[in-house]
Amino acid sequence: MLFGAEALLVDARTDVLKPYLSRVLIVNVVAAFVLTPMIVWVYLALPELTTRLLRQLRNDKVIGRSAAGSRLNEAAKELEAQFNRVLGQAAVLTVVYLVYALIDDRPKLRLAPVALLIVASSAAQGALFFLGWTTIIQLWSTSQAIGELFHTFPIHVRLQHPDGCGGLQTVGKLLSLVLFVATVLGGAGLCMVLALLGTPWAPAHRPEPYVLAGFYAVLLPSAFRHLLWRPHQLMDQRRDQILKPVARVFDAVAVANRPSAADDAPRLKAKADALWEISRQLRMLDEACPRWPLRTRWLRPVIATAVLPVAISVVTAVISKFLTG
């Protein structure tokens, strides 16, 4: 509430606000009541979520016992250290953004009554920028660490695990979090871009477009690669390990039991029954193999929901710029 009121108060000190009061109000309400709480929530929840993810993988014996001792603990400590290093990286980006914002506001800074408000508003926006980029880099570090974990440690996809994903459902929960944040960021960014079109305020002056761009350009590709594609590969490899021996047996039986002119009806039936039994076993094992969401229909609309808002906002901005010259 303080963040939105402060930003609105700074804009209210300028004479150009009055024709665009409702639009500026929408932008500040979205930033104050949607983006800021969500970013703070993810920033506070991510360390505990990551710890529970690693603990769950180890407790479910998805990570091999020979590699789940001190090495996994070391990987967890390295990720925690990476979280701390992220603060310095985000701080550098925030300083660059604040310098850019203050340079862009130089004409307003010459007005004594609003100079202090502008500095305070820039500081508040800088805090949102810092938290946003800290969250993005931490999520990116987590997805990278999980991808490296899957390449370094022996992973056992468990066929009869209750989660239906071979014990990797906890990784899917992190992917769901990333997609949820992408959907909210995309929808909020689209609202803000549409609200600021045709006003004296450029969207690039606010911190949200930079957070949005970093999320879609840096985090989302990494999340799809390490939290979606890599588990899908692990499940496919496990499926091949189980089904290929049965398929080879089927081929051998099919060659050995090829029908011949000398076969009578009972013998033909026995050959067909042998092939049918192997086929039944193959289908049963195939159904028992866990499926990652990459193969289900619901993932496509989820990805579309996450990506479509930012695509629409970019296309809208480009078309508007082209039409207005």
Side-chain angles (χ1 to χ4, degrees), residues 13-309:
R13 301 289 300 193
T14 62
D15 296 333
V16 295
L17 172 71
K18 295 179 181 178
Y20 311 105
L21 179 61
S22 59
R23 296 191 180 191
V24 176
L25 182 62
I26 290 174
V27 171
N28 286 287
V29 166
V30 170
F33 290 96
V34 178
L35 294 181
T36 303
M38 184 193 68
I39 290 175
V40 172
W41 166 63
V42 176
Y43 172 76
L44 295 176
L46 185 59
E48 176 62 22
L49 177 63
T50 305
T51 301
R52 283 192 282 114
L53 185 153
L54 296 176
R55 186 184 298 120
Q56 188 71 34
L57 290 176
R58 182 169 58 184
N59 292 342
D60 289 346
K61 296 183 169 60
V62 175
I63 297 180
R65 180 175 295 273
S66 61
S70 60
R71 289 181 56 195
L72 182 59
N73 294 334
E74 291 172 3
K77 291 179 181 178
E78 175 59 29
L79 182 58
E80 184 179 0
Q82 179 64 26
F83 278 4
N84 296 329
R85 290 194 292 269
V86 162
L87 299 178
Q89 299 169 3
V92 172
L93 293 175
T94 303
V95 170
V96 174
Y97 166 76
L98 286 176
V99 171
Y100 161 74
L102 292 175
I103 290 177
D104 195 49
D105 282 333
R106 277 185 303 176
K108 298 179 185 178
L109 290 174
R110 296 178 184 145
L111 303 175
V114 298
L116 185 59
L117 287 174
I118 291 176
V119 172
S121 177
S122 298
Q125 292 185 358
L128 178 61
F129 184 95
F130 173 79
L131 286 177
W133 268 99
T134 299
T135 303
I136 288 173
I137 302 176
Q138 285 184 347
L139 279 170
W140 179 85
S141 300
T142 302
S143 67
Q144 292 285 117
I146 292 174
E148 184 177 351
L149 196 73
F150 286 161
H151 281 94
T152 305
F153 290 80
I155 305 297
H156 303 301
V157 178
R158 303 173 63 84
L159 296 185
Q160 298 301 319
H161 196 281
D163 65 6
C165 295
L168 296 176
Q169 187 186 55
T170 181
V171 180
K173 291 180 180 179
L174 183 59
L175 176 64
S176 299
L177 173 65
V178 173
L179 291 176
F180 168 75
V181 175
T183 303
V184 175
L185 277 177
L190 176 60
C191 291
M192 298 176 76
V193 168
L194 293 178
L196 290 177
L197 286 178
T199 69
W201 291 272
H205 186 66
R206 298 187 60 89
E208 295 84 6
Y210 300 100
V211 175
L212 186 66
F215 191 93
Y216 278 88
V218 177
L219 175 59
L220 211 54
S222 177
F224 281 145
R225 178 185 176 188
H226 298 294
L227 304 181
L228 181 64
W229 180 246
R230 182 55 184 161
H232 165 70
Q233 287 181 315
L234 290 172
M235 291 186 182
D236 261 5
Q237 292 171 5
R238 181 61 171 155
R239 179 176 178 273
D240 290 342
Q241 290 174 0
I242 295 172
L243 298 185
K244 280 183 177 179
V246 183
R248 286 194 292 265
V249 171
F250 181 88
D251 292 339
V253 173
V255 172
N257 293 328
R258 283 182 297 185
S260 64
D263 292 338
D264 54 10
R267 186 170 179 79
L268 288 173
K269 183 178 183 303
K271 291 182 177 181
D273 288 344
L275 292 176
W276 180 85
E277 175 61 23
I278 298 176
S279 299
R280 186 189 66 81
Q281 294 178 13
L282 188 64
R283 287 194 301 268
M284 182 181 65
L285 291 173
D286 188 26
E287 292 173 359
C289 292
R291 306 287 190 187
W292 197 240
L294 190 64
R295 294 188 174 209
T296 61
R297 295 181 179 179
W298 65 263
L299 184 65
R300 286 176 297 197
V302 168
I303 294 177
T305 304
V307 175
L308 194 58

